């Protein structure tokens, strides 16, 4: 059995402090209170009324007030309103097809689900205590306070009438009463009677229980009957006629007639019991065969048990939750007397060791101030999750809120974003709302709050392709002076609005924000608006501010849209704007820039020259050079890049480039002279001599064959022995080395440089012998040591090479020996190289002699010449003749 959980401690009814505590609890638990107000033609609407006895700034209470109700309520009207104006409801039962209402004046009304009267039955002059229907809705059982019991068919003549000598509080017909073998019903007064129809169409009563006070409630489900008397709740198995269990009531201090027990079957095996403030959920289980003995085959386990704050008037299941109708008492602030408060309808989630309140609503029903706990009833329709709250003067229907109700609540709370999302998710199921209407309300709400940018951004999603709505919203933004806010989100393709709309936005920006205007012109396609009108307006503004770069740039873009590329190009060049090159490429404006080459190259030489070189077929090299004649520095940039791309294309300008390099780019002069094969060397030497470019003159002299003059210039002008040595190494001329030694012999620093570098090219002894005795040479010792080290290194290299050569020779000799030792195949296809006959005789039985040389030439023994006495070794005639060269005797013989 689950442990008992109490939402709050139950207050003492005899203690004023306890009652005040109860009032505070009511205030804290109140999340929402439903107030029903009369409207014209007896129609009623429900609204939420938050009720509190004291003001509070507690954040948690504010959050609770924002919780969405789980149920929605409406008053059952039409015929019910007429009935309850003259009579009072005492009981009601619900079928999926109709309702059956009993009154205090002994009337039973059959109603449709809208509350319209379809049939009226006069049963008794006193109160109807209970009405029971079978599952088919074709048979009804009624009992009244004067002891009358009637069971009859609504569509047949079958009927049972009986009047008892005591009030009959309950009646229940078999759920399958329509079947012939299920003609059973039970009644309850001072005892519980079961009536069964015999084979002679007579009703046979049998006592199921008595002796524990009046039977207060009964519920029949399947083969199980549950009833409540003054002592507790019993469950009986109709088939075996065995009583399964007895669940005693917890609070025996409560009068059972004033606080009756509420019973409800959740399914065929789960019974929900509410009595006083206690709730128990019982599960009927099959007993194991080994445990039966004399016990019933079934037993009951209480799986959930908890207490509520208020007195229970009715119970109903809602999926895995419970709907609880509670009777509430409170203390009046004015009289400080206990009085009846509005009943509450709570949704509770049972938990293994506790319970959780999901929602709680206080219901304003008519006459709640005079009602007692026993006056309220809760009935439910299982198929539709409808809950009927019955009171003497009012009947309220509660139903689960659908997605339309959810959206209504979100809109009421101004949660438009969530409402829009909910409508999009459930667009196939919602009936009352349209996504577009919610979206428009959301936009209006954002505008009212001053969130213009967000409102404009939402227009894209909400308005979609509806041009009329787009234009309406644009005008609305114009009226409030917020055209700029919506400009970024206006549609540019599918749909396209009227040109006037876009022109109106552009005018707005042009009057106050040139940068914003320029951005729109750049982003919007040119066909959205009348380009000529916008051009004229911009021109008018430029008359007031002719140097405004933003307007000029924008005007150039407008000219581009209008295909007036020449004017656009002029503006771009005037502004030195980077987009000029893109404009030229995109619209192939090379014919328009033939006279603007200087401006382009002067603006951005890198991009301009690359563009000109990439389009030589459109603007020739000669044309470019001609245009740049008066700007030699730009001419040089162009010719230099041309030379880098192809050394031969601009060969006719190589002579000119010598002067240009010398004037503007000397670092690249020497590389140019080295790479060019078309520049005149004499002209280049003359220019370099005029400017005293020594390095370039050295290169030119060496290239012209005057190496001695070049070396002399290095020694005398540059005074750089390392460069001189490097030059001598490049020329690899012995006379040049001699000149270098003679020039350096009286210069100690030069001698040091030669000693450090000459060793691998010239014998150092030649230099050492020429050094005068007594001459001081810097770092002579180190230089001599280096010479010796270089000499030792050369010796080591030679020895190493020798060892490698010997090892390789030996390896190759061994390889040759192995090769020569291999056998050689000789067959009938081989011939004698002398007589050209087959090397093997046709008759294998004859003896023969063959000589095979390592060169694979074969001879008959008798075909070889007799070896000389001087050299007993015999050689291949053919190979020996080839080694002797042309004109040998054998070659002549072969001829």
């Amino acid at each position: 059995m689950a442990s008992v959980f109490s939402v709050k401690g139950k207050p003492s009814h005899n203690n004023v402090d306890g009652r005040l505590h109860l009032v505070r609890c009511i205030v804290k638990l109140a999340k929402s209170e439903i107030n029903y107000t009369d409207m014209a033609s007896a129609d009623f609407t429900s609204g939420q009324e938050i009720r509190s006895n004291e003001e509070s700034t507690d954040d948690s209470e504010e959050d609770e007030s924002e919780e969405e109700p789980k149920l929605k309520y409406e008053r059952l009207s039409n015929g019910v309103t007429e009935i309850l104006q003259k009579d009072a409801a005492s009981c009601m039962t619900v079928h999926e097809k109709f309702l059956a209402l009993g009154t205090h004046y002994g009337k039973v009304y059959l109603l449709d689900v809208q509350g319209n009267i379809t049939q009226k039955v006069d049963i008794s002059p006193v109160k109807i205590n209970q009405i029971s229907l079978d599952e088919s809705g074709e048979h009804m059982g009624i009992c009244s306070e004067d002891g009358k019991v009637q069971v009859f068919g609504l569509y047949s003549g079958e009927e049972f009438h009986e009047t008892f000598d005591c009030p009959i509080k309950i009646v229940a017909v078999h759920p399958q009463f329509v079947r012939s073998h299920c003609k059973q019903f039970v009644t309850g007064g001072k005892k519980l009677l079961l009536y069964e129809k015999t084979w002679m169409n007579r009703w046979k009563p049998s006592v199921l229980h008595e002796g524990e006070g009046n039977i207060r409630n009964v519920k029949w489900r399947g083969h199980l009957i549950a009833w409540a008397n003054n002592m507790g709740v019993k469950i009986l198995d109709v088939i075996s006629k065995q009583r399964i269990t007895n669940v005693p009531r917890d609070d025996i201090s409560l009068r059972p007639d004033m606080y009756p027990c509420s019973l409800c079957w959740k399914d065929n095996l789960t019974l929900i019991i509410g009595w006083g403030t206690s709730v128990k959920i019982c599960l009927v289980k099959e007993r194991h065969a080994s445990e039966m003995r004399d016990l019933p085959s079934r037993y009951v386990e209480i799986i959930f048990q908890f207490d509520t704050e208020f007195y229970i008037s009715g119970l109903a299941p809602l999926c895995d939750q419970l709907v609880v109708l509670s009777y509430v008492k409170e203390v009046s602030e004015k009289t400080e007397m206990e009085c009846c408060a509005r009943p509450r309808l709570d949704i509770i989630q049972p938990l293994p060791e506790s319970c959780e309140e999901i929602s709680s609503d206080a219901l304003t029903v008519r006459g709640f101030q005079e009602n007692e706990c026993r006056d309220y009833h809760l009935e439910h329709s299982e198929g539709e999750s409808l809950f009927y709250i019955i009171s003497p003067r009012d009947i309220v229907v509660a139903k689960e809120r659908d997605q339309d109700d959810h959206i209504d609540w979100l809109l009421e709370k101004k949660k438009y974003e969530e409402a829009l999302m909910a409508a999009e998710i459930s667009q196939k199921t919602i009936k009352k709302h349209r996504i577009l209407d919610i979206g428009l309300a959301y936009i209006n709400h954002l505008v009212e709050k001053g969130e213009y940018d967000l409102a404009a951004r939402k227009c894209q999603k909400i308005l979609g392709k509806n041009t009329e709505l787009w234009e309406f919203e644009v005008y609305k933004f114009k009226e409030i002076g917020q055209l700029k806010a919506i400009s970024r989100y206006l549609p540019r393709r599918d749909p396209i609005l009227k040109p006037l709309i876009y022109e109106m936005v552009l005018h707005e920006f042009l009057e106050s924000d040139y940068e914003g205007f320029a951005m729109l012109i750049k982003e919007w396609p040119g066909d959205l608006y009348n380009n000529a009108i916008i051009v004229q307006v911009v021109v008018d503004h430029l008359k007031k501010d002719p140097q405004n770069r933003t307007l000029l740039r924008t005007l150039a873009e407008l000219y581009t849209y209008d295909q007036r590329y020449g004017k656009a190009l002029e503006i771009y060049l005037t502004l030195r704007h980077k987009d000029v090159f893109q404009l030229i490429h995109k619209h192939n404006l090379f014919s328009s820039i033939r006279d603007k080459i200087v401006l382009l190259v002067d603006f951005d030489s890198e991009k301009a020259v690359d563009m000109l070189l990439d389009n030589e077929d459109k603007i020739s090299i000669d044309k470019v050079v001609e245009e740049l004649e008066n700007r030699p520095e730009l001419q040089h940039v162009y010719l230099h890049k041309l030379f880098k791309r192809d050394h031969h294309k601009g060969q006719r300008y190589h002579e000119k480039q010598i002067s240009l390099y010398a004037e503007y780019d000397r670092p690249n002069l020497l590389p140019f002279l080295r790479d060019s094969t078309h520049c005149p060397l004499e002209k280049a030497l003359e220019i370099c001599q005029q400017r005293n470019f020594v390095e370039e003159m050295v290169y030119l002299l060496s290239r012209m064959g005057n190496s001695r003059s070049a070396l002399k210039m290095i020694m005398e002008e540059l005074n750089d022995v390392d460069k001189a040595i490097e030059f001598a190494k490049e020329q690899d001329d012995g006379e040049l080395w001699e000149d270098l030694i003679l020039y350096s012999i009286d210069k100690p620093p030069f001698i040091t440089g030669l000693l450090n570098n000459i060793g691998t090219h010239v014998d150092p002894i030649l230099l050492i012998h020429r050094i005068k005795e007594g001459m001081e040479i810097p770092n002579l010792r180190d230089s001599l040591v280096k010479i010796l080290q270089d000499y030792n290194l050369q010796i080591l290299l030679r020895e190493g090479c020798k060892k490698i050569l010997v090892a390789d020779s030996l390896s190759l000799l061994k390889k040759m020996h192995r090769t020569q030792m291999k056998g050689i195949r000789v067959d009938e296809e081989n011939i004698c190289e002398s007589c050209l006959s087959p090397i093997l005789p046709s008759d294998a039985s004859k003896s023969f002699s063959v000589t095979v040389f390592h060169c694979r030439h074969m001879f008959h023994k008798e075909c070889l010449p007799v070896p000389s006495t001087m050299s007993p070794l015999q050689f291949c005639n053919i190979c020996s003749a080839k080694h002797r060269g042309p004109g040998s005797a054998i070659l002549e013989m072969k001829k």
Side-chain angles (χ1 to χ4, degrees):
M1 180 183 296
S3 62
V4 176
F5 171 77
S6 176
V7 178
K8 292 189 188 288
K10 178 183 175 184
S12 172
H13 297 287
N14 299 321
N15 191 320
V16 175
D17 293 337
R19 294 177 182 177
L20 291 173
H21 173 72
L22 175 60
V23 173
R24 296 189 185 98
C25 293
I26 293 171
V27 173
K28 290 182 180 179
L29 283 174
K31 293 186 178 68
S32 60
E33 298 184 350
I34 309 304
N35 183 29
Y36 300 92
T37 56
D38 294 337
M39 297 184 69
S41 302
D43 290 334
F44 302 93
T45 59
S46 64
Q48 276 197 321
E49 175 187 294
I50 306 303
R51 177 174 174 268
S52 176
N53 290 334
E54 55 183 284
E55 293 184 358
S56 173
T57 58
D58 192 294
D59 292 340
S60 63
E61 292 186 9
E62 292 180 6
D63 292 341
E64 287 182 349
S65 68
E66 289 297 317
E67 289 185 9
E68 182 180 358
K70 303 298 180 183
L71 301 172
K72 63 178 179 179
Y73 302 87
E74 61 182 9
R75 178 169 282 122
L76 196 62
S77 57
N78 299 322
V80 173
T81 305
E82 181 182 348
I83 294 169
L84 299 184
Q85 285 176 349
K86 302 175 182 179
D87 204 342
S90 60
C91 62
M92 192 174 82
T93 189
V94 177
H95 190 268
E96 61 182 9
K97 299 177 182 177
F98 62 92
L99 311 174
L101 174 65
T103 70
H104 279 261
Y105 289 171
K107 308 292 190 298
V108 174
Y109 296 91
L110 299 185
L111 312 170
D112 61 16
V113 292
Q114 281 80 34
N116 297 304
I117 301 172
T118 58
Q119 188 175 345
K120 175 184 175 183
V121 182
D122 290 320
I123 300 296
S124 169
V126 296
K127 174 185 174 183
I128 303 295
N129 285 329
Q130 193 165 10
I131 301 172
S132 175
L133 292 169
D134 65 351
E135 291 180 355
S136 67
E138 297 181 8
H139 295 82
M140 177 184 293
I142 304 172
C143 64
S144 60
E145 191 67 21
D146 58 0
K148 289 184 179 179
V149 175
Q150 291 187 25
V151 178
F152 56 91
L154 295 175
Y155 311 108
S156 66
E158 186 176 13
E159 188 173 0
F160 169 84
H161 289 273
E162 185 70 42
T163 301
F164 295 86
D165 57 358
C166 65
I168 301 298
K169 299 295 183 180
I170 59 99
V171 64
V173 299
H174 194 294
Q176 302 295 327
F177 193 89
V178 69
R179 297 182 181 180
S180 58
H181 63 282
C182 296
K183 300 296 183 181
Q184 298 174 315
F185 66 91
V186 293
T187 63
K190 294 182 179 179
K191 52 188 175 182
L192 183 68
L193 298 176
L194 172 66
Y195 285 84
E196 299 177 278
K197 199 170 190 179
T198 63
W199 62 278
M200 296 181 66
N201 288 332
R202 294 183 179 181
W203 293 95
K204 175 185 175 184
S206 59
V207 178
L208 297 180
H209 186 71
E210 63 180 334
E212 293 184 355
N214 287 334
I215 307 300
R216 303 291 179 183
N217 199 351
V218 66
K219 293 294 178 182
W220 194 333
R221 182 71 174 253
H223 300 303
L224 298 176
I225 301 176
W227 72 93
N229 56 24
N230 293 348
M231 305 303 295
V233 177
K234 282 77 174 171
I235 300 177
L236 179 92
D237 188 336
V238 178
I239 302 299
S240 63
K241 297 293 193 297
Q242 286 184 318
R243 196 168 71 185
I244 297 173
T245 189
N246 174 35
V247 182
R249 66 186 178 117
D250 295 332
D251 190 353
I252 59 174
S253 65
L254 298 175
R255 288 176 52 184
D257 60 329
M258 297 297 293
Y259 299 93
C261 175
S262 297
L263 299 176
C264 177
W265 286 100
K266 181 180 179 181
D267 52 44
N268 288 344
L269 297 175
T270 306
L271 176 66
I272 305 170
I273 304 172
W275 206 338
T277 60
S278 173
V279 176
K280 297 177 182 177
I281 301 178
C282 308
L283 180 62
V284 179
K285 294 186 175 181
E286 294 289 339
R287 197 184 300 275
H288 194 271
S290 62
E291 300 176 353
M292 280 189 185
R293 301 176 185 174
D294 296 331
L295 299 175
S297 60
R298 296 181 178 184
Y299 68 98
V300 170
E301 177 182 340
I302 300 177
I303 55 176
F304 294 104
Q305 180 174 342
F306 54 88
D307 286 348
T308 64
E309 191 66 39
F310 310 111
Y311 300 108
I312 298 168
S313 294
L315 296 164
L318 177 62
C319 299
D320 59 341
Q321 299 171 342
L322 292 181
V323 177
V324 180
L325 176 63
S326 301
Y327 170 71
V328 181
K329 286 186 177 183
E330 64 182 3
V331 176
S332 173
E333 292 182 353
K334 296 180 180 180
T335 63
E336 295 187 357
M337 299 290 292
E338 192 175 64
C339 61
C340 298
R342 284 173 285 188
R344 305 191 70 85
L345 193 68
D346 302 332
I347 298 179
I348 295 175
Q349 175 68 62
L351 300 174
E353 298 182 359
S354 62
C355 72
E356 179 184 358
E357 185 182 273
I358 305 302
S359 71
S360 181
D361 298 325
L363 311 179
T364 303
V365 297
R366 295 191 185 97
F368 69 88
Q369 297 88 345
E370 291 83 24
N371 293 338
E372 298 291 341
C373 182
R374 63 184 176 181
D375 294 324
Y376 294 109
H377 305 280
L378 179 65
E379 299 290 338
H380 74 287
S381 175
E382 297 182 5
E384 302 178 22
S385 294
L386 294 175
F387 304 93
Y388 294 84
I389 298 94
I390 301 102
S391 68
R393 295 295 180 186
D394 213 351
I395 298 176
V396 176
V397 184
K399 61 177 68 175
E400 285 189 279
R401 297 170 63 86
D402 56 19
Q403 200 65 12
D404 279 307
D405 299 314
H406 174 58
I407 293 171
D408 278 334
W409 184 84
L410 292 173
L411 294 175
E412 180 185 342
K413 297 299 180 181
K414 298 189 182 302
K415 299 182 178 182
Y416 293 95
E417 180 76 21
E418 296 177 32
L420 187 61
M421 187 180 302
E424 289 172 348
I425 294 173
S426 308
Q427 57 182 327
K428 294 183 178 179
T429 58
I430 57 177
K431 300 175 182 177
K432 291 171 53 180
H433 298 282
R434 291 196 312 156
I435 294 176
L436 181 59
D437 294 338
I438 298 172
L440 292 174
Y442 185 25
I443 294 172
N444 292 334
H445 172 68
L446 292 173
V447 170
E448 290 172 2
K449 288 176 62 180
E451 298 182 15
Y452 304 114
D453 186 75
L454 181 57
R457 187 163 66 247
K458 292 300 178 182
C459 286
Q460 285 185 310
K461 178 181 179 182
I462 295 167
L463 305 183
K465 299 181 179 181
N466 193 321
T467 56
E468 292 183 2
L469 287 177
W470 265 111
E471 292 169 4
F472 176 79
E473 290 297 328
V474 171
Y475 281 113
K476 187 168 70 176
F477 273 75
K478 176 178 173 55
E479 290 175 2
I480 59 176
Q482 293 295 328
L483 270 181
K484 290 184 180 180
I486 201 172
S487 62
R488 290 192 298 166
Y489 308 106
L490 289 178
R492 304 169 190 180
R493 283 286 181 271
D494 193 24
I496 295 179
L497 309 181
K498 294 177 182 178
L500 180 62
I501 299 295
Y502 301 101
E503 293 164 12
M504 184 170 63
V505 174
L506 291 174
H507 277 286
E508 178 77 14
F509 273 92
L510 193 55
E511 293 297 328
S512 58
D513 184 1
Y514 286 164
E515 291 295 335
F517 174 75
M519 184 179 295
L520 288 182
I521 292 297
K522 190 171 185 178
E523 292 178 354
W524 285 359
D527 56 353
L528 293 180
Y529 46 86
N530 190 319
N531 198 66
I533 294 176
I534 303 301
V535 167
Q536 186 58 48
V537 176
V538 174
V539 170
D540 292 341
H541 276 264
L542 278 172
K543 291 177 181 178
K544 304 174 187 176
D545 188 4
Q547 301 302 320
N548 190 294
R549 297 180 61 85
T550 302
L551 287 181
L552 286 170
R553 185 176 69 250
T554 307
L555 183 59
E557 291 179 4
L558 290 169
Y559 281 141
T560 302
Y561 295 150
D562 210 20
Q563 298 183 358
R564 290 188 275 182
Y565 303 119
K567 289 190 174 183
L569 187 61
E570 288 179 6
I571 295 175
Y572 278 135
L573 287 173
T574 303
L575 295 174
R576 302 172 70 88
H577 195 276
K578 59 183 178 62
D579 288 347
V580 65
F581 299 104
Q582 181 182 354
L583 180 70
I584 295 169
H585 277 291
K586 186 175 181 180
H587 301 290
N588 196 21
L589 303 179
F590 294 99
S591 59
S592 301
I593 64 169
R594 296 177 67 86
D595 57 346
K596 299 178 179 63
I597 293 174
V598 176
L599 290 174
L600 284 170
V601 180
D602 188 42
F603 165 46
D604 190 335
S605 60
E606 189 79 17
K607 288 186 177 180
V609 170
D610 285 338
M611 180 187 69
L612 292 169
L613 292 176
D614 291 339
N615 295 276
E616 291 178 31
D617 56 329
K618 297 168 184 174
I619 302 179
S620 66
I621 296 172
D622 296 338
K623 177 62 178 175
V624 176
V625 174
E626 178 186 345
E627 288 291 324
L628 297 175
E629 189 65 37
N630 296 327
R631 294 291 299 275
E633 73 279 9
L634 302 180
Q635 194 179 56
H636 164 68
V637 173
Y638 176 78
L639 291 173
H640 173 66
K641 280 215 167 188
L642 176 63
F643 180 75
K644 285 291 185 183
R645 289 198 178 192
D646 192 327
H647 293 347
H648 306 289
K649 270 190 177 180
Q651 59 184 0
R652 59 180 294 188
Y653 300 108
H654 283 196
E655 181 178 347
K656 185 180 187 66
Q657 282 185 267
I658 299 171
S659 300
L660 294 173
Y661 275 112
E663 182 68 26
Y664 302 107
D665 192 9
R666 187 194 167 181
N668 283 315
L669 175 57
L670 186 57
F672 170 74
L673 295 173
R674 286 175 176 164
D675 295 338
S676 174
T677 57
H678 304 287
C679 66
L681 300 180
E682 293 82 1
K683 180 67 175 177
L685 183 59
E686 179 184 346
I687 293 172
C688 292
Q689 286 173 344
Q690 291 173 357
R691 297 175 179 271
N692 196 28
F693 291 169
V694 179
E695 291 186 13
E696 289 79 358
M697 287 192 289
V698 169
Y699 170 74
L700 291 169
L701 289 171
S702 64
R703 187 170 170 184
M704 295 167 69
N706 196 351
S707 300
R708 286 190 172 183
S709 298
L711 180 62
K712 183 179 179 182
M713 186 170 289
I714 293 173
M715 301 297 286
E716 293 178 354
E717 299 292 337
L718 298 179
N719 199 26
D720 188 345
V721 66
D722 293 330
K723 200 169 190 69
I725 293 170
E726 188 66 29
F727 180 76
K729 288 180 180 179
E730 290 177 359
Q731 302 300 319
D732 196 20
D733 185 351
E735 293 182 0
L736 208 58
W737 281 108
E738 183 68 22
D739 291 344
L740 180 57
I741 292 171
L742 290 175
Y743 182 83
S744 305
I745 202 65
D746 58 346
K747 299 176 180 63
F750 278 43
I751 293 175
T752 302
L754 286 172
L755 289 174
N756 288 334
N757 295 281
I758 203 174
T760 55
H761 294 81
V762 180
D763 189 353
I765 298 298
L766 297 175
L767 177 59
I768 294 171
H769 283 167
R770 297 186 183 186
I771 299 174
K772 296 179 182 179
E773 293 184 5
M775 178 181 288
E776 293 185 5
I777 301 173
N779 301 319
L780 177 60
R781 178 177 173 274
D782 295 339
S783 300
L784 294 175
V785 169
K786 186 175 185 305
I787 290 173
L788 294 174
Q789 288 175 343
D790 290 344
Y791 179 75
N792 288 334
L793 181 61
Q794 289 181 10
I795 296 300
L796 290 173
L797 288 173
R798 288 178 182 176
E799 290 179 353
C801 291
K802 182 179 179 181
K803 288 180 181 179
I804 293 171
L805 182 61
V806 170
D808 288 348
S809 299
L810 181 59
S811 175
L812 291 172
L813 181 61
K814 289 180 178 179
K815 182 178 179 181
M816 184 184 71
H817 183 261
R818 286 196 304 270
T819 303
Q820 290 179 347
M821 290 297 292
K822 291 180 180 178
I824 298 174
R825 178 184 178 86
V826 179
D827 54 24
E828 58 273 3
E829 293 182 359
N830 298 106
I831 60 172
C832 174
E833 296 294 339
S834 179
C835 64
L836 301 179
S837 59
I839 196 70
L840 298 177
S842 56
D843 187 1
S845 61
K846 293 182 179 181
S847 60
F848 63 92
S849 180
V850 175
T851 300
V852 180
F853 292 96
H854 291 296
C855 60
R856 300 299 189 269
H857 290 136
M858 304 177 186
F859 297 89
H860 294 126
K861 184 73 172 177
E862 56 273 15
C863 294
L864 285 173
V866 178
S868 65
T869 57
M870 297 293 294
S871 177
L873 294 176
Q874 201 165 20
F875 299 95
C876 172
N877 293 345
I878 297 174
C879 295
S880 297
K882 288 181 179 179
H883 291 167
R884 285 198 299 271
S888 65
I890 295 179
L891 287 175
E892 291 174 2
M893 184 177 61
K894 284 187 176 181
K895 290 178 182 178

